[in-house]
Amino acid sequence: MTMNLDFDTLPPLREVIAEHNLRAQKSLGQNFLLDLNMTDKIVRHASDISGDLSGVTVFEIGPGPGGLTRSLLKAGAEKVIAVEYDERAVQALQGLQEAAGKRLEIIHGDALEIDLMGLAPGPRMIVANLPYNIATPLLINWLRKIRSDPTSYQSMSLMFQKEVAQRLAAAPGNKTYGRLSVIAGWLCDINMAFDLPASAFTPPPKVTSSVVQFIPKTLPDDAPSFEAVEKITAAAFGQRRKMIRSSLKDYKAGFEALGIDETIRAEELSIEQYIQLAAL
Ligand code: SAM
């Protein structure tokens, strides 16, 4: 479903940026997407995995001048809650706020500090072109929530630096396989949706970006805690060149019980083996 917001009355994003002096600040990870075909594409992929956006609250982290926000509203999101740290961007979004009315709520604050779940009942999803300097801690916070309640978010469609996206989707044996791959792959089905070249952004970052989608899995009742999985992955990948008999000394009994060769290294253990060891 698409909705007729009165977009024709909204100024182009470049004008919004100029009027509000929203010059990109590196410290805030500001690389804006001004091509609405690109932001529409992100939203199209998000609806492909989550279905119609009507009836869903979409959280957007870092709306900036509001390109992706426009696309979300245009695609019929029942409600968009946009959390933005930069006061200039909050001001720049006022025109969109007037056009969207109650369907858009703008929160001026730090996404690392805000409990999104408390802001709206489900179903919820997150769609964001993340500030890269805090993308990983934000993701870890959301994954922690998903562990405690797999229905917290129906899906997350998030833009990362490609290098982080590759770590998220890496399989055992790959040199980018690590803590993030295990935790994310344990809790979610992960889909690498598409890449965007640096030139798609204003200003262009140094690297290619990728949209990654996460769909929470239902876990068995005896699944280990988030902390247990964080602990084992930190120990293993903190010393990834060592054999696990040395990096994971505390799990020795588990190697025997599960028939795991203790001379292998962190990157050779599967996600399932990490989860089994953490659950013991
Ligand atoms: N969504 C916009 C787009 O696609 O053009 C902007 C994306 S830009 C990569 C990241 C945005 O996150 C910026 O608007 C920045 O101000 C905002 N931001 C940075 N740190 C933040 C934080 N701690 N909490 C909320 N927003 C933050």
Side-chain angles (χ1 to χ4, degrees):
M1 179 173 75
T2 55
M3 283 216 180
N4 267 339
L5 257 194
D6 204 357
F7 281 109
D8 298 342
T9 62
L10 291 170
L13 291 168
R14 285 188 194 282
E15 261 177 43
V16 172
I17 288 175
E19 188 187 333
H20 294 274
N21 194 22
L22 191 51
R23 233 174 333 94
Q25 277 183 20
K26 206 171 169 200
S27 61
L28 289 174
Q30 291 181 335
N31 300 100
F32 301 131
L33 270 177
L34 306 183
D35 178 350
L36 296 175
N37 292 315
M38 285 297 166
T39 54
D40 283 349
K41 184 172 176 185
I42 297 172
V43 176
R44 226 171 24 247
H45 275 76
S47 354
D48 282 351
I49 56 164
S50 267
D52 197 340
L53 300 187
S54 61
V56 180
T57 297
V58 182
F59 291 99
E60 188 194 354
I61 305 309
L68 185 55
T69 326
R70 291 187 190 193
S71 293
L72 286 165
L73 290 163
K74 201 169 59 175
E78 171 106 3
K79 172 122 193 175
V80 177
I81 301 184
V83 180
E84 175 57 62
Y85 187 81
D86 187 341
E87 168 69 29
R88 298 172 307 161
V90 172
Q91 291 307 323
L93 290 162
Q94 291 315 308
L96 183 56
Q97 172 73 85
E98 277 159 34
K102 285 204 177 79
R103 290 177 59 216
L104 174 61
E105 183 177 339
I106 300 163
I107 296 185
H108 183 201
D110 181 349
L112 280 172
E113 303 290 331
I114 293 176
D115 175 20
L116 301 180
M117 301 270 299
L119 297 175
R124 313 173 193 88
M125 58 197 272
I126 306 178
V127 180
N129 172 15
L130 293 175
Y132 291 155
N133 42 348
I134 55 166
T136 305
L138 283 170
L139 176 66
I140 293 281
N141 283 351
W142 296 329
L143 291 172
R144 185 177 279 112
K145 286 283 183 228
I146 286 171
R147 167 63 191 92
S148 55
D149 177 4
T151 65
S152 3
Y153 301 107
Q154 208 172 62
S155 68
M156 305 192 285
S157 296
L158 307 174
M159 177 97 68
F160 294 95
Q161 290 170 269
K162 186 166 188 180
E163 176 257 318
V164 176
Q166 282 169 331
R167 281 201 274 138
L168 281 162
N174 191 300
K175 68 177 188 322
T176 60
Y177 178 65
R179 186 176 149 246
L180 263 187
S181 339
V182 174
I183 297 177
W186 164 46
L187 296 169
C188 297
D189 287 318
I190 296 176
N191 174 37
M192 301 280 274
F194 59 93
D195 288 350
L196 266 92
S199 59
F201 299 83
T202 305
K206 290 209 170 62
V207 291
T208 302
S209 298
S210 309
V211 175
V212 185
Q213 301 180 301
F214 303 80
I215 302 168
K217 295 178 188 169
T218 308
L219 299 181
D221 290 342
D222 58 354
S225 68
F226 192 86
E227 290 67 31
V229 178
E230 267 194 318
K231 183 172 162 223
I232 190 170
T233 51
F237 292 103
Q239 303 188 71
R240 63 186 299 144
R241 298 308 315 145
K242 294 217 168 127
M243 290 181 195
I244 57 171
R245 72 171 169 223
S246 143
S247 57
L248 295 180
K249 277 198 194 81
D250 296 349
Y251 298 86
K252 200 168 168 47
F255 302 153
E256 277 158 31
L258 299 168
I260 295 172
D261 174 1
E262 62 177 17
T263 66
I264 62 173
R265 293 176 168 77
E267 66 191 44
E268 293 168 273
L269 271 181
S270 67
I271 295 180
E272 198 188 350
Q273 285 172 322
Y274 275 110
I275 302 311
Q276 287 172 331
L277 286 167
L280 287 174

